[in-house]
Amino acid sequence: MKKPIIAITADIYRLKSMSSNDQAIDYAPRDIIRAVYQAGGIPIVLPAPTDIQETDFNELTENFDGLLIPGGPDVDPSFFNEDPIPQLGGVFYERDQFEIHLISAAVKTGKAIFGICRGIQAINVALGGNLYQDLAAQYPDLKIKHRQYPTEGSFPTHQVTITERSELAKIIGRQSFVNSRHHQAVKDLGKGLKVTAMASDGVIEGIESSDSNQIVAVQWHPESMWQRFPEQLKLFKNFVERAEDIYD
């Protein structure tokens, strides 16, 4: 059977290095790339195009089977019709614009979608939802630490409870001990989505499609954990299997 092509949207590395000189570099995290390989997919890194308006997103989605939206900077609140609050971190407008268009096209063309951290947020915004720009400033029931630094990112720090009979529960069960490095979070759900995991303080930690298994997204970082906690690799294996369904 043909291995599915997994598109991973790129972030931009802006610091000088020996190889890049003064140039920005489009990249995807190595741990995600290796997890996709380990799960049986073929990863490709998909940078934002120069001109969004000239991009045929339906044509673009024809070249891959699954879309993975990884972590990264904050989502620009202008995409959910809000002004930035003082606690907002750095944003990358070009990436937001690209991912929102790409997610919408991938949904319409039936591609498997997997979101990680910022990815869960971008998916929610692309489908009409919004976010807490900063949990400490905007979420009154905040009880636990969601930015685990300086604790190493490959170790879990808090539990999440997963909804019974959800796709996520089928993958990793009803409870999971996860890592956490975010200060934004899903607030009001986008169209066609349902909540599938929550932290003990009620912060949303997982969402998926309400009527299919097309979209699965989590707030934590399984790519940082799967080498020590193999159950987290199941998320990538499930994603690759969903992407394979295009050939059935």
Side-chain angles (χ1 to χ4, degrees):
M1 178 180 288
K2 181 180 178 182
K3 290 186 175 182
I5 304 298
I6 303 301
I8 305 167
T9 53
D11 209 337
I12 290 183
Y13 184 79
R14 297 178 178 85
L15 300 179
K16 293 181 181 180
S17 71
M18 186 180 298
S19 61
S20 69
N21 217 353
D22 293 327
Q23 301 178 71
I25 298 173
D26 293 301
Y27 78 98
R30 177 179 289 179
D31 285 340
I32 287 181
I33 289 170
R34 289 179 173 176
V36 170
Y37 272 130
Q38 188 73 16
I42 299 176
I44 59 171
V45 180
L46 195 60
T50 303
D51 190 343
I52 293 289
Q53 304 306 319
E54 294 296 321
T55 302
D56 186 333
F57 282 89
N58 290 326
E59 181 181 51
L60 189 58
T61 61
E62 292 176 1
N63 293 286
F64 60 80
D65 308 306
L67 175 63
L68 197 159
I69 311 294
D74 287 356
V75 176
D76 192 314
S78 66
F79 288 99
F80 47 95
N81 300 313
E82 292 184 12
D83 289 324
I85 65 171
Q87 295 84 354
L88 183 72
V91 297
F92 180 8
Y93 186 92
E94 185 180 71
R95 178 176 170 184
D96 290 329
Q97 187 181 39
F98 175 53
E99 287 183 345
I100 286 169
H101 280 82
L102 188 61
I103 291 163
S104 298
V107 168
K108 291 177 183 177
T109 54
K111 305 296 181 177
I113 301 173
F114 182 32
I116 294 173
C117 193
R118 168 201 160 84
I120 190 177
Q121 299 161 12
I123 290 166
N124 191 55
V125 171
L127 297 181
N130 60 15
L131 307 175
Y132 292 105
Q133 295 186 44
D134 179 76
L135 287 170
Q138 296 180 317
Y139 186 71
D141 296 324
L142 189 68
K143 298 289 193 302
I144 66 173
K145 185 176 181 180
H146 289 270
R147 300 184 88 169
Q148 72 182 60
Y149 179 84
T151 301
E152 184 179 337
S154 61
F155 290 102
T157 58
H158 73 79
Q159 296 278 351
V160 296
T161 300
I162 299 169
T163 305
E164 189 176 4
R165 291 188 293 272
S166 64
E167 185 73 12
L168 192 56
K170 294 176 187 175
I171 302 166
I172 56 174
R174 294 293 313 283
Q175 293 280 333
S176 190
F177 196 28
V178 304
N179 55 2
S180 190
R181 48 180 189 263
H182 65 103
H183 79 115
Q184 293 193 309
V186 170
K187 185 180 180 183
D188 299 314
L189 282 180
K191 185 177 180 181
L193 297 172
K194 63 181 180 182
V195 175
T196 56
M198 297 178 73
S200 60
D201 58 3
V203 170
I204 294 171
E205 296 275 345
I207 62 174
E208 63 189 54
S209 301
S210 56
D211 58 357
S212 72
N213 67 352
Q214 183 183 16
I215 297 171
V216 175
V218 297
Q219 185 60 70
W220 65 92
H221 285 267
E223 80 280 9
S224 298
M225 293 181 62
W226 67 268
Q227 298 90 337
R228 286 189 173 103
F229 303 91
E231 69 275 8
Q232 295 294 327
L233 186 63
K234 294 178 182 178
L235 289 162
F236 293 92
K237 289 182 176 179
N238 168 270
F239 172 47
V240 170
E241 288 168 3
R242 288 186 288 117
E244 283 178 335
D245 285 347
I246 193 171
Y247 300 117
D248 291 345

